[in-house]
Amino acid sequence: MAYTLDPELAAVLRVLAEQSGPTPPPPPERDDWRALRARGTASMAWLASLLPAYPSGYPLVKAVAHTVRSRDGAEIPVRWYEKADSTPGSAVVYAHGGGMVAGSVDLYDSVIAGYVEATGVPFLSVDYRLAPDGATGTGPVEDVFAALAWLSDRSAGFGVDPGRIAVMGDSAGGGLAAGTAVLARDRGVPPARQILLYPMLDDRNLTPDPLLSPYVAWTWDDNWTGWHALLGEAFGTDDVPPAAAPARVASVEGLAPAYVEVGELDIFRAEAVGYAQRLADADVPAELHVHSGAIHEYDRLAPDSLLARRAMADRRRVISAL
């Protein structure tokens, strides 16, 4: 069976191939997290350039910096985005992507401001520590959970109903959002919903699929590097904490209702679909979208495409309904 890339995505990729010249830089070698971070940072900066710049492009959205304290005492920067003409009630705690080794709140300014402008729902964006030099194991997911707990504890001051706070993230951030939902269930601070965009859930996803290989933007070698950076010596063993790799959680019963979205041509497809299926089997409400012809980060690569606009409409619907 052959896959077919979405025509609008294919057109964007053709233009990029022409712009990159005949000898694009080689991909990072497996386990070179520094090179992967450098590539990821450059890629996210370019993707951000495809959106209106913040703050000028989102004049109604204001951001305020705060600091939360993680479980090990580390101080974690967070940023509260709120639309000036809206009344809070619900809120979203957001974890950015970056393969566990890259990304920042700054690089996601326009992404978060776009959600806030479109829905009127405020967001708390988390600058969690990156692996391996910032934190390993459950360190990053504890940072995101700390932000959820912090907002829940101070919800009255922000005009937020603590029962209407969701956790959300894309790629690695989607995995951290899912892990936060696990910690939150176990610690009695359950979110209203988990919104998982092409989430990175399973450290055991390391074997290339030859049918997918021609299309993948995040490769299995990248996946190996990101997971090894996060998990260190536990990588590949039974000692991996389920909160760090949520596909390993023994039971999904009692987890927050989920919205799960992934591209057909993404190496995370099987783990995202499998996780949604586990949730549904445990009677946890789960809405799943597998977008035909879509690669990893398809929505950011071609934000004006029909595919991206359809996905954004679904996300806005879910966020607005919190």
Side-chain angles (χ1 to χ4, degrees):
M1 181 188 73
Y3 290 110
T4 302
L5 186 63
D6 177 85
E8 290 180 283
L9 288 176
V12 170
L13 292 174
R14 280 195 299 271
V15 171
L16 290 177
E18 293 167 359
Q19 291 175 348
S20 65
T23 55
E29 294 183 5
R30 176 183 281 197
D31 216 21
D32 188 348
W33 62 266
R34 291 178 178 84
L36 187 59
R37 177 177 293 175
R39 189 191 72 182
T41 300
S43 175
M44 283 184 276
W46 178 78
L47 290 171
S49 74
L50 302 180
L51 299 173
Y54 181 83
S56 59
Y58 307 89
L60 294 179
V61 179
K62 306 303 178 185
V64 179
H66 298 277
T67 301
V68 306
R69 193 171 295 278
S70 196
R71 192 175 180 86
D72 62 1
E75 293 188 341
I76 309 302
V78 296
R79 195 171 295 170
W80 175 255
Y81 298 78
E82 189 172 2
K83 192 174 180 181
D85 62 352
S86 63
T87 301
S90 58
V92 175
V93 175
Y94 197 95
H96 63 75
M100 305 296 180
V101 300
S104 68
V105 164
D106 287 342
L107 287 168
Y108 269 67
D109 259 333
S110 294
V111 174
I112 303 305
Y115 284 124
V116 175
E117 181 181 76
T119 65
V121 176
F123 273 56
L124 185 68
S125 188
V126 187
D127 226 353
Y128 61 85
R129 290 169 291 173
L130 302 177
D133 49 336
T136 55
T138 58
V141 72
E142 289 285 3
D143 296 348
V144 182
F145 174 80
L148 173 64
W150 180 88
L151 180 57
S152 182
D153 289 344
R154 293 161 179 77
S155 56
F158 286 94
V160 169
D161 180 345
R164 296 173 61 192
I165 302 174
V167 290
M168 179 177 178
D170 65 285
S171 196
L176 294 174
T180 297
V182 172
L183 291 179
R185 175 198 63 182
D186 296 344
R187 296 174 184 175
V189 194
R193 186 174 289 270
Q194 49 181 323
I195 303 170
L196 314 179
L197 310 180
Y198 32 88
M200 184 176 175
L201 300 167
D202 196 343
D203 62 294
R204 299 162 295 189
N205 180 8
L206 304 171
T207 303
D209 179 339
L211 293 178
L212 282 183
S213 291
Y215 305 99
V216 298
W218 174 262
T219 71
W220 289 271
D221 278 348
D222 294 338
N223 215 34
W224 197 100
T225 302
W227 281 116
H228 188 226
L230 179 70
L231 300 174
E233 293 183 0
F235 182 47
T237 74
D238 292 335
D239 295 329
V240 173
R248 289 179 175 262
V249 69
S251 172
V252 298
E253 291 185 3
L255 290 177
Y259 172 92
V260 183
E261 179 191 307
V262 70
E264 178 187 40
L265 306 179
D266 193 323
I267 76 167
F268 296 148
R269 182 191 63 200
E271 60 197 73
V273 171
Y275 200 66
Q277 184 65 63
R278 287 188 65 194
L279 292 168
D281 288 345
D283 294 322
V284 176
E287 178 178 342
L288 172 66
H289 296 261
V290 181
H291 289 294
S292 178
I295 61 174
H296 194 62
E297 292 188 311
Y298 60 89
D299 53 319
R300 301 195 63 194
L301 182 66
D304 294 325
S305 65
L306 286 173
L307 184 60
R309 284 186 281 154
R310 186 168 69 244
M312 290 301 295
D314 282 322
R315 297 174 197 175
R316 289 194 295 267
R317 168 180 52 81
V318 171
I319 293 166
S320 298
L322 288 171

